[in-house]
Amino acid sequence: MQGRRAHIVRRRNRRERLFPVQQVAAIGLAALILAALFDADALLEDARGKPYGTERDVSLAIWRPVHWVSEALALDEPREWVVQELRPRLYGESAFVRAPGPPPEPAGPAAGAEADRTPAPSAEPTPAARPPRLRRPTAEEPLRLWVGGDSMAQVFGESLVRLASETRLIDPTLDYRISSGLTRPDYFDWPSYLRSVLEQERPEVLVLVFGANDAQGIVTPEGEIFQPFEDGWVEEYRRRVREVMDLVEGPERLVVWVGQPIAASEEYSRRMARLNAIYAEEAAGRPGVVFVDSWSLFVDDGGRYSAYLPDEDGDIVLMRQEDGIHLTRAGGDRLAKAVLEVIAQYVPLEP
Amino acid sequence: MLFPTLTFAVFFVIAFTGNWWLRPNRTLWLLFLLAASWTFYGWWDARFVGLLAFAVAWNWLLGGLIAAARGGAPSPPSGARVLLALAVAVDLGLLGWFKYYGFFATSLVNLLRDLGFDLSPRIVHVTLPVGISFFTFQAISYVVDIFRGAIRPMRPLEFAVYLSFFPQLVAGPIVRASEFAPQLANPADPRFLPMAEAFRLIFSGLFKKVVISSFLASEIVDPVFAVPGEASSLEVLVASYAYAVQIYADFSGYTDIAIGCALLLGFRLPQNFDAPYRARSVREFWRRWHMTLSRWLRDYLYIPLGGNRGPRAFVYRNLFLTMLLGGLWHGAAWHFVVWGALHGLALIAERHLQERTAWRPSPVLAWLLTFHFVSLTWIFFRAESIGDALTLLGRLLTAPGDAPLVTTPVLAVIAAALAAQFVPESFTLRLQWLYSRAGPALQAAGFAFGLVLVDALGPEGVAPFIYFQF
């Protein structure tokens, strides 16, 4: 009791100052304005990452001048320091990277941002004319499998990593980036990231999932903006899919391109169906790229969306998350099993 | 609306301004607080607001009826009891529908199929409204307290603000009417706001949630729990420590932000966490962890079950049931049930040792045992299934090997977070005192730098709070 009383007395003596509401408002507002100036780099970056349209234009109109002032007064320095000096010490290079950080620079003489933009001329072999030949994996030298893509690759990728590991013949790596895709390389540049993955991880099987965030405005190399599914949009998106397929296809590598499943929203599903058609068409002529249709794995008897579907044993289980887009573990397992079956057609996975 | 977003910052500036501007006109002020709270909630899904409005109307109505049936009688008449049962049944019915419908519907369909009745119905995927548990618990405490004669019915608008108040609406603290109503009746003095305390809470909450929790999740917890069969013993052990820190940082971080924001609006919400990993017994842990839920379970579940009265076996049963239901509340899944049951058993074992034996572990041993019990049981809580949890516990003992996920920063963050639990409160108060004495320019710059530090160290994009789903 003695100690407790002493504590109360001390507390009273040290009582913090209290402030009138006007002063709190002034200090709070000043803090928020200062924080915006300190954080201008990130705020402008966020604004740039928005889909092309009015909201993005308005955000840019707000944050550009703030950014300009911040730079002029060198107020962006503290953040810069934290990002450059503190962050790298904290975050390791784990196989499961959530934060869409900058892609690691490819090793070798061609490293650097400039080299990223122009594809290295003959770094990749020309597409194979026959199905890829994969070696027979052993427990000592397991098959190098790499799975990546947008947020749809998360749960599915985890399931695939589980299933693949169980074969004891596959060494899987999962690397997904939330909110990424092929439409906005300014947000995350998949082609150049994949280039460094090919070089460093040398995957023998590459499983890719794109599209969930891709039905948004796209900019052509000429700087023209097209909205989803206009002719110019389809042409540009198709070109990018082709570019990624050209990049990843190889005579000794299997590429499994996983389409987007049906979703609860009809509008969203229609968009995903159009993207799936592009993937399937582009994969069709390539012996090294297999398109896996995930759509039909998640429809009911009537071909409609259903969050609950029967599993292998016929039990009804929840396959989809509440957003009506992403998969639950059961859904991820179902898709992973289908993908592993495709891989097994190319590689003997029975010991 | 999520706290650590630009949208919330803008929303809060408006809410703060309107709150103090309209204070002189009581009705306008209350209407504004209600509108702000419903806007906040409707940001997720506008349909949720209808549910909240129903909860407000229903519980206010039944609260009034119970009070009328009760009158001034020392023990409530049976009419009041029936009304109370009705009120609670509807509240729990709604909660149960949204939380457990999918589980029961699929269980029933699958059971019938096993018995030969193939219905193959289309099961609707029910969206769980965020925070439904929290306002349901507050509503239940309101009608029960009226029934017990502990409080008087509130006016409709005041009750609506109490149940919907946005800082605590979606993840607690679970506030009682007896704590909130007086603050509406006698609003805080606008000349004396605890700004230093509020800013400190908001900053520390954001730091815990955005930096600590996300960091541990992405660096070790998520990878280990996603693929349990691949983790080594050391990884499982450190992941269980890391998850202990993660869920504390996530949940108490949210509470800190909620309490800080409420302070700026002139309301003081009850504390929800008191350095829980300092606990030297499981019992003490529950007095320090999610304190407003523990208190709620004690007052509205444990005591009605019989509490500490009666033969020892009864008391043990009450303890066990309370923890079991507390576990089940987190979700209709067996791994939550096991988690609750293990805590129930631990409480019983502790009581038994305390009352029937002379064994008293030294403080250090007691702390070690408690912390490891809590951390290892979190594995059941976090795992996707009992099978996964058992795989992890098995690997804890049988999977030597490399631990690439156990890095120096991960260990440092866990150690620092645990050490922070032992920092005396006087140190925090001292810091607050210093901040409150600094000049306004320094105060603004300090808070601004804190916000930027959080943003620069956190991951891009904000993960929702763990406790929204419960």
Side-chain angles (χ1 to χ4, degrees):
Chain A
M1 268 292 84
Q2 192 68 43
R4 190 173 177 85
R5 191 163 305 146
H7 181 69
I8 292 166
V9 172
R10 198 168 60 230
R11 210 178 151 163
R12 203 164 286 153
N13 289 344
R14 290 269 165 78
R15 180 173 254 189
E16 65 181 73
R17 238 179 86 197
L18 301 174
F19 296 82
V21 64
Q22 295 84 353
Q23 202 170 335
V24 176
I27 293 171
L29 206 58
L32 285 179
I33 291 169
L34 256 179
L37 285 165
F38 282 153
D39 216 24
D41 279 350
L43 292 164
L44 187 61
E45 200 59 31
D46 282 353
R48 284 210 181 102
K50 285 181 194 289
Y52 297 107
T54 319
E55 197 190 324
R56 182 175 187 270
D57 296 344
V58 172
S59 298
L60 284 176
I62 294 171
W63 298 117
R64 270 205 187 107
V66 175
H67 185 253
W68 184 80
V69 173
S70 166
E71 252 188 347
L73 298 175
L75 289 175
D76 52 352
E77 301 273 319
R79 180 183 216 278
E80 191 93 327
W81 177 80
V82 173
V83 171
Q84 304 275 332
E85 299 295 323
L86 277 183
R87 254 195 98 95
R89 275 162 222 239
L90 205 56
Y91 289 87
E93 262 304 315
S94 109
F96 296 76
V97 191
R98 263 205 170 168
E105 306 281 13
E114 281 309 309
D116 273 357
R117 253 171 237 135
T118 46
S122 58
E124 285 304 312
T126 45
R130 49 181 178 197
R133 282 159 312 171
L134 281 83
R135 67 185 172 89
R136 187 181 194 95
T138 60
E140 293 72 39
E141 256 190 89
L143 193 72
R144 295 185 298 276
L145 181 147
W146 193 93
V147 48
D150 56 33
S151 59
M152 293 302 288
Q154 179 185 358
V155 175
F156 151 66
E158 289 167 356
S159 291
L160 185 59
V161 169
R162 278 191 195 206
L163 270 185
S165 305
E166 280 167 14
T167 65
R168 297 283 149 213
L169 295 172
I170 301 179
D171 175 21
T173 305
L174 167 64
D175 193 347
Y176 62 93
R177 306 291 165 137
I178 285 168
S179 304
S180 71
L182 300 180
T183 307
R184 297 296 298 270
D186 56 323
Y187 177 76
F188 188 78
D189 187 353
W190 273 107
S192 71
Y193 187 63
L194 284 173
R195 207 164 286 135
S196 72
V197 167
L198 293 181
E199 213 163 288
Q200 287 165 12
E201 316 261 339
R202 299 185 298 117
E204 293 160 285
V205 177
L206 196 63
V207 181
L208 297 173
V209 193
F210 294 118
N213 313 300
D214 278 348
Q216 56 166 302
I218 204 167
V219 185
T220 65
E222 293 76 39
E224 253 184 301
I225 298 178
F226 289 104
Q227 290 304 327
F229 307 113
E230 292 170 358
D231 289 347
W233 193 96
V234 173
E235 195 180 311
E236 174 61 16
Y237 192 76
R238 191 181 286 278
R239 188 187 69 74
R240 293 187 190 186
V241 172
R242 209 175 289 149
E243 182 192 339
V244 171
M245 287 185 181
D246 284 346
L247 173 71
V248 295
E249 201 181 13
E252 289 176 349
R253 182 184 305 122
L254 172 67
V255 178
V256 182
W257 194 291
V258 180
Q260 293 285 331
I262 190 172
S265 150
E266 279 180 26
E267 171 61 26
Y268 185 81
S269 294
R270 259 198 298 278
R271 291 168 164 231
M272 293 306 112
R274 298 198 64 164
L275 296 181
N276 285 342
I278 295 176
Y279 305 144
E281 284 159 22
E282 288 305 316
R286 298 168 187 266
V289 182
V290 186
F291 175 75
V292 172
D293 163 34
S294 68
W295 183 282
S296 52
L297 288 174
F298 295 101
V299 292
D300 63 10
D301 295 341
R304 291 163 303 177
Y305 172 87
S306 176
Y308 293 92
L309 290 167
D311 67 4
E312 286 171 343
D313 307 325
D315 281 339
I316 305 283
V317 291
L318 183 63
M319 296 274 179
R320 309 301 288 261
Q321 293 183 22
E322 281 195 348
D323 59 12
I325 295 173
H326 293 95
L327 304 172
T328 60
R329 174 61 59 222
D333 287 349
R334 165 172 293 194
L335 182 53
K337 191 165 169 284
V339 167
L340 203 61
E341 276 165 9
V342 168
I343 296 172
Q345 290 168 10
Y346 291 81
V347 195
L349 289 178
E350 301 298 328
Chain B
M1 215 180 285
L2 296 171
F3 280 164
T5 55
L6 191 61
T7 317
F8 179 76
V10 173
F11 167 83
F12 191 75
V13 168
I14 298 168
F16 178 88
T17 313
N19 174 64
W20 294 105
W21 193 281
L22 298 171
R23 259 282 289 283
N25 184 324
R26 193 173 168 74
T27 309
L28 266 183
W29 173 55
L30 292 171
L31 279 173
F32 175 80
L33 278 180
L34 187 63
S37 297
W38 285 9
T39 306
F40 176 85
Y41 198 46
W43 215 261
W44 272 280
D45 190 329
R47 291 171 301 174
F48 291 176
V49 177
L51 181 73
L52 181 58
F54 172 79
V56 166
W58 172 254
N59 288 286
W60 177 78
L61 185 73
L62 269 285
L65 291 177
I66 292 168
R70 193 184 188 289
S75 71
S78 59
R81 197 171 289 276
V82 171
L83 286 167
L84 175 68
L86 183 66
V88 173
V90 169
D91 285 336
L92 289 181
L94 269 180
L95 181 64
W97 162 261
F98 283 107
K99 272 186 88 107
Y100 305 110
Y101 166 79
F103 177 75
F104 284 118
T106 51
S107 303
L108 185 68
V109 168
N110 293 333
L111 179 74
L112 287 175
R113 205 182 59 88
D114 291 343
L115 296 175
F117 303 96
D118 200 349
L119 302 173
S120 41
R122 274 182 75 80
I123 301 175
V124 187
H125 192 197
V126 176
T127 308
L128 179 68
V130 286
I132 181 172
S133 300
F134 292 92
F135 66 74
T136 302
F137 282 2
Q138 290 199 175
I140 292 175
S141 80
Y142 173 75
V143 287
V144 173
D145 284 353
I146 289 181
F147 174 79
R148 288 176 178 168
I151 55 165
R152 292 155 56 79
M154 294 170 77
R155 291 158 188 252
L157 198 51
E158 291 179 4
F159 179 69
V161 170
Y162 158 64
L163 213 58
S164 319
F165 191 50
F166 73 85
Q168 108 264 329
L169 176 63
V170 292
I174 301 164
V175 187
R176 288 185 177 174
S178 59
E179 289 163 333
F180 201 79
Q183 303 191 53
L184 285 176
N186 301 302
D189 190 327
R191 291 170 305 169
F192 305 108
L193 284 188
M195 180 183 78
E197 186 184 1
F199 283 5
R200 196 261 302 162
L201 283 167
I202 293 172
F203 166 71
S204 77
L206 286 170
F207 192 83
K208 284 195 271 190
K209 160 67 197 161
V210 178
V211 182
I212 308 278
S213 164
S214 318
F215 170 76
L216 291 174
S218 70
E219 295 299 293
I220 185 158
V221 176
D222 289 352
V224 165
F225 281 89
V227 192
E230 291 301 293
S232 67
S233 299
L234 186 60
E235 284 175 334
V236 176
L237 183 70
V238 175
S240 80
Y241 295 161
Y243 185 64
V245 171
Q246 186 204 336
I247 190 166
Y248 165 74
D250 198 89
F251 193 11
S252 80
Y254 186 92
T255 306
D256 284 352
I257 304 169
I259 296 176
C261 288
L263 279 177
L264 290 177
L265 298 175
F267 295 88
R268 189 168 281 279
L269 304 180
Q271 188 44 271
N272 221 7
F273 292 90
D274 179 18
Y277 295 129
R278 271 169 82 159
R280 293 196 293 233
S281 67
V282 177
R283 188 179 173 178
E284 187 188 352
F285 173 76
W286 282 105
R287 287 198 184 141
R288 294 171 171 273
W289 175 272
H290 202 177
M291 294 147 75
T292 56
L293 176 69
S294 301
R295 175 179 86 167
W296 192 94
L297 289 172
R298 182 195 66 204
D299 291 348
Y300 303 104
L301 186 59
Y302 182 65
I303 290 176
L305 280 171
N308 288 331
R309 284 167 297 155
R312 182 171 288 114
F314 267 67
V315 176
Y316 288 176
R317 181 207 66 174
N318 298 341
L319 271 176
F320 187 73
L321 274 181
T322 304
M323 296 315 289
L324 195 70
L325 287 169
L328 193 62
W329 166 68
H330 286 91
W334 287 107
H335 59 107
F336 288 127
V337 176
V338 170
W339 172 78
L342 288 172
H343 273 269
L345 290 175
L347 289 175
I348 293 171
E350 268 180 18
R351 220 168 234 246
H352 191 78
L353 285 174
Q354 179 85 25
E355 289 170 0
R356 310 282 282 190
T357 72
W359 186 63
R360 299 286 177 272
S362 70
V364 175
L365 180 63
W367 178 81
L368 273 173
L369 285 175
T370 306
F371 178 67
H372 282 86
F373 173 80
V374 171
S375 297
L376 293 179
T377 44
W378 279 134
I379 289 179
F380 281 96
F381 190 91
R382 170 62 177 80
E384 292 174 12
S385 64
I386 292 192
D388 278 8
L390 293 176
T391 303
L392 285 166
L393 288 171
R395 294 191 70 85
L396 180 61
L397 302 171
T398 61
D402 297 355
L405 293 170
V406 179
T407 59
T408 315
V410 164
L411 291 174
V413 167
I414 294 172
L418 290 180
Q421 304 257 304
F422 293 90
V423 172
E425 199 198 356
S426 56
F427 179 79
T428 317
L429 292 175
R430 174 85 188 151
L431 276 186
Q432 246 166 246
W433 181 84
L434 279 173
Y435 182 85
S436 76
R437 299 275 151 181
L442 203 58
Q443 285 168 338
F447 190 44
F449 185 72
L451 294 178
V452 175
L453 188 70
V454 167
D455 189 53
L457 282 183
E460 284 179 40
V462 188
F465 290 92
I466 293 176
Y467 257 73
F468 280 0
Q469 56 186 305
F470 296 130

